[in-house]
Amino acid sequence: MDSPVTTELTATDAASALIPGPATPYQGDIARYWNAEARPVNLRLGDVDGLYHHHYGIGAVDHASLGGPEDSEYEKKLVAELHRLESAQAEVLLDHLGPITAEDTLVDAGCGRGGSSVMAHQRFGCKVEGVTLSTTQADFGNNRARELGIDGHVRAQVCNMLDTPFEKGSVAASWNNESSMYVDLDDLMAEHSRFLKVGGRYVTITGCWNPKYGQPSKWVSQINAHFECNIHSRREYLKAMADNRLVPQAVIDLTPDTLPYWELRATSSLVTGIEEAFIESYKDGSFQYVLIAADRV
């Protein structure tokens, strides 16, 4: 389906893309990590339909469509099914952005290779600004937008998500899709609160450790080490939002919905070695996969 025509990015917009590099040594480490990242689990899934994500999936596995392992096409079908589940996750996030018009601007904070940004524009016809510390990811996303003919509406820029160039109150909705574990939550929520208009919607989907477990489990520690990140607790998300004029409208536990994705991925040729940590932490309750949608007041 053709997406609606909206106001295109201007030369002034392009000039604002000249953002300084990482502000701290840690951000430099993260930029280098994602600049070098080229895992098949991200690229081969994106090759299915040209939507390149950097997040996980939700929903029931369609086992009927997979057939059996003896099928010569089984691995191809499995990859397609994993990609269907990760696109379903992005659809759920977009469902929670609220009413968006073609005249609105959205911000995809930690946009990766831009799959969710493309989906948002295709759904709403709006302008989508992605930010990432990775020049590799930004270049990839911008090249993909040009290939789709939507580069006037969808753009990724190398930018610190804690210090963006967007004007105060200029953004209708924004999100972090599995990217908030790389930053201080109070700083992150303050920045979203700054550029969101009053009544604007912020959504995050993230893994978080469960305070009821007591402390981050060994599985959570393994995930932190694998991705060089710092997973927060759900309690920390809610406090940072409350401290920055973001009032939750929905808090949804997606843990049961994401477990099938991980169990399927663990049987594929795309394993990275971190699958056991996700599966076991979800099962023992030490780790949760949540969606939080909050309005700027």
Side-chain angles (χ1 to χ4, degrees):
M1 180 181 295
D2 292 333
S3 54
V5 175
T6 62
T7 302
E8 295 194 356
L9 299 171
T10 66
T12 301
D13 293 324
S16 71
L18 301 175
I19 305 300
T24 67
Y26 174 71
Q27 289 180 343
D29 289 343
I30 298 308
R32 284 188 288 273
Y33 178 95
W34 288 108
N35 280 336
E37 186 276 332
R39 293 191 185 96
V41 73
N42 291 321
L43 296 173
R44 281 186 59 194
L45 269 62
D47 288 342
V48 171
D49 62 4
L51 289 171
Y52 292 85
H53 298 300
H54 280 275
H55 59 255
Y56 309 127
I58 59 173
V61 173
D62 183 0
H63 290 284
S65 71
L66 293 176
E70 68 282 355
D71 185 343
S72 62
E73 295 289 300
Y74 178 77
E75 184 67 17
K76 180 179 178 181
K77 293 176 181 177
L78 189 153
V79 169
E81 180 65 3
L82 288 173
H83 182 62
R84 184 185 71 81
L85 296 175
E86 65 176 1
S87 288
Q89 187 261 34
E91 294 286 5
V92 168
L93 187 153
L94 297 179
D95 287 344
H96 286 83
L97 290 181
I100 303 297
T101 72
E103 289 71 39
D104 286 329
T105 295
L106 311 183
V107 170
D108 182 354
C111 62
R113 289 183 171 93
S116 297
S117 295
V118 171
M119 290 176 66
H121 171 71
Q122 289 175 337
R123 180 187 289 204
F124 303 117
C126 59
K127 176 178 170 181
V128 185
E129 295 275 9
V131 297
T132 173
L133 287 173
S134 167
T135 55
T136 299
Q137 290 182 343
D139 289 345
F140 189 103
N142 288 330
N143 287 335
R144 185 69 189 123
R146 281 191 289 273
E147 291 171 354
L148 293 170
I150 59 174
D151 52 311
H153 315 295
V154 176
R155 176 183 64 176
Q157 59 181 299
V158 179
C159 179
N160 177 1
M161 72 171 77
L162 304 181
D163 184 20
T164 68
F166 312 122
E167 293 183 6
K168 181 178 179 180
S170 64
V171 174
S174 60
W175 67 88
N176 284 96
N177 197 353
E178 296 181 18
S179 56
S180 56
M181 64 287 298
Y182 287 103
V183 293
D184 177 87
L185 288 183
D186 191 64
D187 292 341
L188 178 67
M189 299 309 166
E191 181 63 1
H192 281 281
S193 182
R194 183 191 66 80
F195 62 61
L196 280 171
K197 67 181 183 181
V198 174
R201 172 65 58 86
Y202 169 72
V203 178
T204 185
I205 295 182
T206 187
C208 55
W209 66 270
N210 185 357
K212 291 184 178 179
Y213 190 82
Q215 289 289 332
S217 68
K218 67 177 183 179
W219 303 117
V220 172
S221 296
Q222 286 183 24
I223 296 168
N224 276 335
H226 184 85
F227 293 104
E228 299 184 24
C229 64
N230 179 35
I231 292 166
H232 309 288
S233 70
R234 182 166 69 173
R235 181 182 299 158
E236 291 173 288
Y237 280 94
L238 296 175
K239 182 180 186 304
M241 290 179 183
D243 289 344
N244 290 283
R245 304 183 66 85
L246 294 168
V247 178
Q249 305 299 308
V251 181
I252 302 172
D253 185 355
L254 296 173
T255 307
D257 301 295
T258 196
L259 192 54
Y261 163 89
W262 283 101
E263 291 175 332
L264 181 63
R265 174 168 150 173
T267 69
S268 76
S269 64
L270 302 177
V271 294
T272 63
I274 200 60
E275 288 77 14
E276 181 186 18
F278 277 88
I279 292 169
E280 295 304 321
S281 61
Y282 285 143
K283 286 183 175 180
D284 70 18
S286 63
F287 195 43
Q288 297 174 307
Y289 196 55
V290 300
L291 179 151
I292 306 174
D295 286 348
R296 168 68 162 88
V297 297

